[in-house]
Amino acid sequence: MPQATKTMREKWGGDQGVGPDKAMAYLETCGWTLNEHGLWKLPSDRQTAEIGDDEFEALQFLIDEWDYDFIPR
């Protein structure tokens, strides 16, 4: 069930404010990849501690609203 806040939907919601496309596109430009299980993977040359605020928010939106997850390092 969708759980993202209104603020997160306004910032990261793509198609009509709820689609995952805007957050996904942002993560992809930062080098993240999505595997077949719905897990986002941080680029191999970075550590979890290096995740920027916008990256974290995009991930949080996808987790809260779309049940994606990420692979921590």
Side-chain angles (χ1 to χ4, degrees):
M1 174 173 260
Q3 298 290 320
T5 65
K6 180 181 178 186
T7 302
M8 292 292 270
R9 284 189 193 111
E10 289 172 356
K11 183 172 182 177
W12 293 108
D15 185 31
Q16 298 180 9
V18 294
D21 50 309
K22 184 176 180 182
M24 291 174 77
Y26 177 74
L27 291 175
E28 289 169 352
T29 64
C30 294
W32 289 78
T33 55
L34 181 64
N35 74 17
E36 65 275 3
H37 304 292
L39 298 171
W40 285 94
K41 185 176 178 187
L42 188 64
S44 61
D45 62 337
R46 296 178 56 206
Q47 298 296 316
T48 304
E50 299 172 333
I51 297 174
D53 290 344
D54 282 342
E55 287 172 279
F56 181 78
E57 283 186 357
L59 284 168
Q60 193 65 55
F61 171 76
L62 292 172
I63 291 166
D64 290 349
E65 194 74 7
W66 292 97
D67 295 329
Y68 286 94
D69 209 341
F70 77 101
I71 301 171
R73 238 181 256 283

